[in-house]
Amino acid sequence: MKFDVYSPLEKVSTSFLNRFNVQLDIKRDDMIHPFISGNKWRKLKYNLLAYQSSGRSGILTYGGAFSNHLIATAAACAKFKIPCIGVVRGDELSERSNIVLRLCAEFGMELKFISRADYKLKLYPEGNNYLIPEGGDNIEGVKGCEEIMTGLDGYNHVFVSVGTSTTFKGVINGSKGIGHIHGVAALKGADYLKKGIAHDTFFDNWTLHSQFCGNGFGKYSEAEVKFNSKFATETGILLDPIYTGKSMKALYDLVSEGVIKPSERVLFIHTGGLTGVMSSKWLDVKRI
């Protein structure tokens, strides 16, 4: 398996950043692949290599109706000719319920829809499949995310979005304790993640911010929509509404609060997930 990665580092200038004299670079992991983008490629890499040596007949993984992890796994398995099953939360759904599930099916993923109660308990037989946890949240996933920081140093602050916290853990370990790593949680009440993060990382140069999730996971306000739109207009870089949009807004807020000081260097890791901008809910929110 070849894991070619195209992830340039892009210097970004906006009227806001210029006003506060903050230097921002964006690690463009969103450009790795149209569907296996950002942290999804990183988290799948060592899981796919583990599958290759496992002797298993295919891959099985879990995800919700709009899961970027599912679509990334489907695309990766198609690329490497691996049979795959996606177990989806919600037995009322089908492959025609939304564009994400439709694309998973288009890539050849066999979709299995189960009740939310069974999904919570992960009650689906693995058979002879290699199991990748929801969101790629395992040791292999963390190992892959450590590579995001390869060759990157000299930053005072690093920002990354947090869902399962797999990517955050990898970035902390890959930082070698240099700079401060800010994880911006997309979930409400995400402080429960701190214990696992501390257990699985080697350094204490991090903060998990749980105050920037807005109305909660998958929810966004007109103000957040306008923020993303203005950022895209000024930079040519799209942010997704669930993860990176909230993280960039958190970065701006911490600049305003003086946590990030003038002339400091900041790195923002773009974790992809841009299928979120194709949802009807996002498209229907006012932008003016």
Side-chain angles (χ1 to χ4, degrees):
M1 293 183 182
K2 285 188 66 179
F3 293 91
D4 298 323
V5 172
Y6 176 69
S7 177
L9 197 63
E10 185 169 341
K11 292 188 181 302
V12 172
S13 174
T14 69
S15 55
F16 175 87
L17 295 170
N18 291 341
R19 185 163 73 250
F20 285 91
N21 191 28
V22 169
Q23 303 173 59
L24 177 64
D25 291 347
I26 297 184
K27 175 69 171 165
R28 296 295 306 274
D29 266 18
D30 59 308
M31 298 181 71
I32 291 175
H33 187 277
F35 298 105
I36 325 167
S37 71
N39 58 344
K40 302 300 179 282
W41 182 266
R42 306 288 189 177
K43 291 192 280 188
L44 283 170
K45 176 180 176 179
Y46 288 103
N47 273 295
L48 292 174
L49 290 171
Y51 156 77
Q52 190 176 43
S53 60
S54 71
R56 302 280 180 149
S57 58
I59 283 173
L60 183 145
T61 193
Y62 288 82
F66 294 92
S67 170
N68 288 313
H69 167 70
L70 279 186
I71 195 171
T73 304
C77 286
K79 178 180 177 67
F80 295 116
K81 298 177 173 56
I82 303 169
C84 63
I85 296 172
V87 182
V88 184
R89 181 176 62 248
D91 52 5
E92 79 283 2
L93 300 168
S94 75
E95 68 179 47
R96 294 178 295 280
S97 293
N98 62 56
I99 192 168
V100 171
L101 296 176
R102 183 68 187 90
L103 286 169
C104 286
E106 190 79 5
F107 281 121
M109 174 176 272
E110 183 180 358
L111 297 173
K112 300 292 185 180
F113 300 93
I114 64 174
S115 71
R116 284 161 171 73
D118 286 349
Y119 185 93
K120 188 174 183 180
L121 299 172
K122 299 298 187 284
L123 291 179
Y124 191 86
E126 293 176 25
N128 192 40
N129 293 297
Y130 174 85
L131 176 65
I132 300 178
E134 182 176 10
D137 184 21
N138 58 8
I139 293 172
E140 287 77 16
V142 173
K143 181 180 178 182
C145 289
E146 290 176 10
E147 296 179 355
I148 294 173
M149 296 299 292
T150 300
L152 300 176
D153 54 32
Y155 290 99
N156 304 101
H157 303 272
V158 178
F159 280 76
V160 64
S161 302
V162 175
T164 62
S165 77
T166 310
T167 306
F168 188 36
K169 294 173 187 174
V171 170
I172 293 166
N173 288 342
S175 75
K176 298 180 174 60
I178 299 170
H180 197 85
I181 316 301
H182 300 264
V184 181
L187 304 165
K188 275 190 174 181
D191 285 344
Y192 75 93
L193 293 169
K194 290 179 179 178
K195 183 176 180 181
I197 295 166
H199 180 270
D200 295 336
T201 54
F202 311 136
F203 309 105
D204 60 2
N205 62 328
W206 57 272
T207 299
L208 177 67
H209 299 283
S210 56
Q211 72 272 37
F212 298 112
C213 64
N215 294 323
F217 185 76
K219 299 177 182 178
Y220 26 82
S221 65
E222 284 187 33
E224 289 171 320
V225 172
K226 290 176 181 177
F227 175 85
N228 283 17
S229 181
K230 183 177 182 182
F231 187 85
T233 300
E234 287 194 275
T235 65
I237 299 172
L238 285 175
L239 302 171
D240 86 281
I242 297 173
Y243 292 104
T244 52
K246 292 179 186 290
S247 297
M248 185 61 75
K249 181 64 167 59
L251 189 160
Y252 272 46
D253 287 350
L254 292 176
V255 168
S256 295
E257 294 169 14
V259 175
I260 299 170
K261 296 175 174 54
S263 299
E264 288 192 317
R265 296 186 66 210
V266 183
L267 175 68
F268 183 90
I269 298 166
H270 197 315
T271 51
L274 292 175
T275 51
V277 303
M278 295 187 286
S279 72
S280 58
K281 186 167 73 169
W282 177 249
L283 294 173
D284 289 343
V285 181
K286 292 180 182 177
R287 280 163 172 71
I288 299 173

